[in-house]
């Protein structure tokens, strides 16, 4: 039972890792806003059948409002940051900025809960940030000029990705503190789809008929998001949580690899160096919470 649940959790990690390439593919076919709206609409339907519809009267009202708002804002930042990228290479870079959220989440958790951590957290956060700088600087080491030039080519996408990482870190901490075990993922996806359709109606974007390839990418994107959350839920409830947590920090590497294949975009050695730094830095942040010195008893000598 545990092995099967763990495998489902690992499969969820694989599904999530494909999201960058799939969102970019759908966005290129029908536009960034319409593409995201279609993906989240289909994902909400999948979640309704796999996870089920939430009982709203069981939710803490404060979490229902704050949690759904943060979730919708994050998903808007994620999908639109990828959809508005100019090139496949840029989409992969923007996706990497989004993966600053694990380190941010742990850092925020430490501040909010006064959680004990070891000194590994400092080099972990630093390594993750330097990894992003390495990715954005291309083959120029850690050149500030090249990083800023790359970001200013599309400040909207990079800005949305960074905001998304911060919002998701806040969402994770809020959920842990306020959700009281309630799972509103189906509702949150439906609200995200609704927000995107409203944005589409208010924006001057033409409705483009999807090509067969776009329909295929849309189907896989919906399965990756909706199916990923459903599989992950099973994994963390019944599987090896420690293994799944450790494996999840390597999503940036797998995500870049899958996106490079799907978008047919070769990535430089420096990019892979930066990606590895992001993953290892996030893993060190996580490990710092497991190797923290125990609290000293007040009655001890």
């Amino acid at each position: 039972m545990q092995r099967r649940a763990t495998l489902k959790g690992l499969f969820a990690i694989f599904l999530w890792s494909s999201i960058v390439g799939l969102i970019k593919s759908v966005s290129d076919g029908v536009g960034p806003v319409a593409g995201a709206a279609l993906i989240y609409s289909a994902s909400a339907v999948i979640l309704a059948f796999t996870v089920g519809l939430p009982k709203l009267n069981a939710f803490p009202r404060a979490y229902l409002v704050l949690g759904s708002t943060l979730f919708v804002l994050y998903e808007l930042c994620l999908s639109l940051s990828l959809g508005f990228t100019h090139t496949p290479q840029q989409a992969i870079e923007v996706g990497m900025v989004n993966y600053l959220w694990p380190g941010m989440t742990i850092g925020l958790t430490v501040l909010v809960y006064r959680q004990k951590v070891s000194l590994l957290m400092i080099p972990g956060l630093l390594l993750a940030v330097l990894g992003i700088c390495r990715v954005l600087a291309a083959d120029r080491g850690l050149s500030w000029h090249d990083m800023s030039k790359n970001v200013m080519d599309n400040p909207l996408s990079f800005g949305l990705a960074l905001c998304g990482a911060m919002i998701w870190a806040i969402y994770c901490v809020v959920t842990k503190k306020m959700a009281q075990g309630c799972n509103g993922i189906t509702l949150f996806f439906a609200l995200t789809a609704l927000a995107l359709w409203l944005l589409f109606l208010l924006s001057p974007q033409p409705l483009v008929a999807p090509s067969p390839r776009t329909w295929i990418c849309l189907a896989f994107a919906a399965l990756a998001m909706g199916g990923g959350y459903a599989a992950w839920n099973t994994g963390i409830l019944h599987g090896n949580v420690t293994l799944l947590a450790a494996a999840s920090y390597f999503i940036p590497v797998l995500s870049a690899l899958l996106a490079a294949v799907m978008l047919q975009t070769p990535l430089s050695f420096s990019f892979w160096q930066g990606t590895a730094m992001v993953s290892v830095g996030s893993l060190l942040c996580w490990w710092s919470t497991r190797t923290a010195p125990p609290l000293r008893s007040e009655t001890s000598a």
Side-chain angles (χ1 to χ4, degrees):
M1 177 66 180
Q2 186 187 47
R3 177 180 294 182
R4 182 178 298 177
T6 302
L7 288 176
K8 287 184 178 180
L10 292 174
F11 184 58
I13 291 173
F14 173 81
L15 291 175
W16 283 337
S17 297
S18 66
I19 286 174
V20 170
L22 290 170
I23 289 180
K24 179 59 177 173
S25 298
V26 175
S27 297
D28 286 347
V30 295
V33 181
L38 287 169
I39 291 172
Y40 284 91
S41 298
S43 298
V45 173
I46 291 174
L47 285 167
F49 284 100
T50 55
V51 176
L53 299 175
K55 298 180 179 178
L56 299 184
N57 57 354
F59 279 72
R61 184 168 298 180
Y63 172 67
L64 196 59
V65 174
L66 184 57
S68 62
T69 300
L70 290 171
F71 186 93
V72 171
L73 287 175
Y74 167 72
E75 297 297 343
L76 289 177
C77 287
L78 173 65
S79 58
L80 296 181
S81 67
L82 295 170
F84 284 121
T85 51
H86 300 155
T87 64
Q89 169 81 26
Q90 193 174 77
I92 300 173
E93 293 173 355
V94 165
M96 204 53 55
V97 173
N98 174 70
Y99 289 122
L100 281 172
W101 71 261
M104 290 182 177
T105 301
I106 293 172
L108 188 59
T109 301
V110 170
L111 293 176
V112 172
Y113 293 102
R114 307 292 183 184
Q115 182 176 346
K116 286 287 185 179
V117 293
S118 71
L119 292 177
L120 280 175
M121 183 174 179
I122 297 175
L125 286 172
L126 185 61
L127 189 63
V129 173
L130 288 176
I132 294 297
C133 293
R134 182 74 171 126
V135 167
L136 297 180
D139 295 320
R140 301 295 183 86
L142 294 174
S143 168
W144 174 255
H145 176 266
D146 290 300
M147 281 188 287
S148 60
K149 182 180 178 181
N150 194 9
V151 171
M152 292 310 297
D153 177 62
N154 191 348
L156 175 61
S157 285
F158 285 107
L160 284 173
L162 182 59
C163 288
M166 293 187 289
I167 291 170
W168 190 250
I170 298 171
Y171 170 80
C172 291
V173 174
V174 165
T175 297
K176 182 178 180 181
K177 193 175 184 67
M178 300 174 61
Q180 298 180 13
C182 295
N183 182 4
I185 193 66
T186 304
L187 171 66
F188 294 169
F189 260 78
L191 291 175
T192 303
L194 178 61
L196 284 163
W197 282 121
L198 289 175
L199 182 60
F200 175 77
L201 293 174
L202 294 173
S203 60
Q205 297 192 46
L207 183 61
V208 180
S211 66
R213 182 182 184 278
T214 301
W215 279 118
I216 293 173
C217 291
L218 170 61
F220 277 108
L223 287 171
M225 285 196 168
Y229 277 103
W232 182 255
N233 190 51
T234 301
I236 60 174
L237 287 176
H238 306 292
N240 187 328
V241 177
T242 301
L243 175 61
L244 292 176
S248 68
Y249 288 101
F250 291 96
I251 289 179
V253 177
L254 184 57
S255 174
L257 179 61
L258 292 176
V261 173
M262 284 188 282
L263 301 176
Q264 299 180 348
T265 303
L267 300 172
S268 66
F269 179 70
S270 63
F271 179 93
W272 290 113
Q273 281 183 321
T275 300
M277 291 165 67
V278 172
S279 288
V280 174
S282 298
L283 190 60
L284 285 176
C285 288
W286 171 73
W287 192 252
S288 72
T289 64
R290 299 178 59 82
T291 58
L295 291 173
R296 185 177 179 179
S297 172
E298 293 180 358
T299 60
S300 62

